[in-house]
Amino acid sequence: MSSDQKLSLDADYARAIAPYASYVPPVPTDAESLRKQNDFMINTVMSLFPCPARSRVAETELSYKSADGTELKLHRFDPPASSSTPAPAGRPCVLYLHGGGFVSGSVTSFRKDIIRYAAETRLTFYALAYRLSPEAPFPKPLEDAYAALEFLRDNAQEQNIDPKRIGVMGISAGGGLAAGLALEARDKKFVPAIKKLVLIYPMLDDRTRIGEDHPLNEYLTWTNKKNEIGWQAYLGGAGARTVSSPDASVYAAPARAEDLSGLPPTYLDVGGLDLFKDEVNAFGAKLLAGKVDVEFHLYPGVPHAWEWLSHECPVTQKAVNNRVFALRSL
């Protein structure tokens, strides 16, 4: 996108956020300040998020261990349809990875989002409380996700799920984790293979940044500075780079992978005013080059995570419907 390109907000979205337009968050200086800001924003917008299905979706908590022995929690969300007579081969399910820039977010803060998709897809969701950076940098969060995938496969009969129909859905940084998980599962020849990958404005490329005079800066909800802090926190561990490979691991920053062949059928979406727009578009092109089935949606006039404050906007309803349709293909 050229720096002189004219940009503007989607008209319906602009009206929806008008009551909040005067709020300008402080510029974060480190991972701690970014975490506090993110958690405040996420919790605030989620408090405004309608969740009529909340009383109809049952939540239970499961425990499992990551590769290093750390005990972690998987939250299972069951819509009413999944509590009926068990299917002979089990039911499809979704492993959900929340957002938060690798430094923040939780299953609790994203609970309403998970409930919405569980209710609308009639699928069982497993939401992972993966460890956050910088306390647990790469590869710890990815190890948590891989261990969760193994748990679902190894306990499929007990959980009444079909291990051949496990999808992975990731939001923002969770989308980057999901893509990294799919690459690792491919390379380790995980069986059965992940059935579907659903990446919602995923955080894929540690190299992404735009110039200070770029017109997109006016609309960014996830800025250069936030992106830099999030990636520094995530890549701060010894496992992110090696002497022989000084660039970030492709499992940490999936946009660095040149060969995406063999990945599951993938759904991608991103807003036209999102810092991640170009990296998501490029990732979709690489998937196509690798002969992977791809569904890609670019929504003009909306920034990163736009839907949290625009529940009734046509662009939000269209995006949610497209995501639900993609998940139902499991």
Side-chain angles (χ1 to χ4, degrees):
M1 180 174 66
S2 64
S3 60
D4 60 350
Q5 182 175 343
K6 300 298 183 183
L7 301 174
S8 62
L9 290 173
D10 174 87
D12 294 306
Y13 173 75
R15 284 190 289 271
I17 66 167
Y20 319 102
S22 62
Y23 174 70
V24 179
V27 177
T29 57
D30 54 22
E32 182 180 358
S33 60
L34 179 58
R35 175 177 296 166
K36 288 180 179 178
Q37 183 181 126
N38 278 358
D39 285 340
F40 171 77
M41 294 293 292
I42 293 169
N43 291 331
T44 298
V45 298
M46 284 297 183
S47 70
L48 304 171
F49 185 73
C51 191
R54 191 166 192 167
S55 63
R56 296 185 287 110
V57 174
E59 180 182 355
T60 54
E61 190 177 275
L62 308 168
S63 296
Y64 77 103
K65 290 185 178 180
S66 193
D68 63 1
T70 299
E71 186 166 304
L72 298 168
K73 300 297 183 182
L74 262 180
H75 296 252
R76 173 172 167 150
F77 293 83
D78 279 305
S82 67
S83 61
S84 58
T85 304
R91 294 173 46 81
C93 72
V94 179
L95 177 61
Y96 179 101
L97 302 172
H98 67 75
F102 299 120
V103 303
S104 63
S106 66
V107 174
T108 298
S109 59
F110 279 80
R111 179 172 280 114
K112 287 184 178 180
D113 188 54
I114 303 162
I115 288 173
R116 167 174 61 184
Y117 288 111
E120 294 196 21
T121 61
R122 299 282 177 166
L123 296 173
T124 296
F125 272 61
Y126 291 85
L128 168 60
Y130 62 84
R131 287 173 286 179
L132 300 176
S133 303
E135 295 84 357
F138 178 85
K140 298 299 184 185
L142 185 61
E143 290 174 350
D144 297 348
Y146 196 89
L149 187 64
E150 291 180 316
F151 175 88
L152 293 178
R153 177 195 61 192
D154 297 344
N155 295 274
Q157 184 172 359
E158 178 184 343
Q159 293 295 313
N160 188 35
I161 58 176
D162 182 351
K164 296 180 181 179
R165 299 172 69 191
I166 298 175
V168 180
M169 179 180 188
I171 314 296
S172 191
L177 273 177
L181 174 61
L183 283 167
E184 186 176 22
R186 178 199 68 179
D187 295 345
K188 288 185 175 180
K189 297 179 170 50
F190 184 89
V191 178
I194 296 169
K195 179 72 171 179
K196 183 88 174 184
L197 199 55
V198 177
L199 308 180
I200 310 304
Y201 35 80
M203 188 173 174
L204 301 165
D205 196 339
D206 61 303
R207 301 162 294 185
T208 292
R209 58 186 54 83
I210 58 175
E212 293 181 3
D213 62 343
H214 199 290
L216 189 59
N217 283 304
E218 178 183 350
Y219 303 98
L220 295 180
T221 53
W222 182 257
T223 64
N224 270 342
K225 185 64 174 177
K226 294 178 182 179
N227 204 47
E228 176 186 346
I229 293 171
W231 278 113
Q232 286 178 345
Y234 187 49
L235 300 179
R241 298 178 174 87
T242 64
V243 174
S244 61
S245 180
D247 292 333
S249 163
V250 297
Y251 302 133
R256 288 184 176 270
E258 293 301 325
D259 179 15
L260 299 183
S261 62
L263 289 191
T266 301
Y267 171 98
L268 292 159
D269 75 30
V270 69
L273 302 179
D274 194 324
L275 182 65
F276 298 159
K277 173 179 69 70
D278 290 342
E279 67 186 73
V280 174
N281 181 60
F283 194 76
K286 282 185 182 180
L287 287 166
L288 288 172
K291 303 188 185 310
V292 176
D293 288 337
V294 179
E295 179 180 352
F296 174 60
H297 296 273
L298 176 65
Y299 297 104
V302 291
H304 193 70
W306 83 89
E307 69 267 39
W308 306 126
L309 288 175
S310 59
H311 318 298
E312 303 301 325
C313 285
V315 64
T316 296
Q317 294 176 352
K318 181 185 297 185
V320 170
N321 288 340
N322 285 334
R323 296 166 189 172
V324 168
F325 187 81
L327 288 164
R328 283 177 177 167
S329 68
L330 283 169

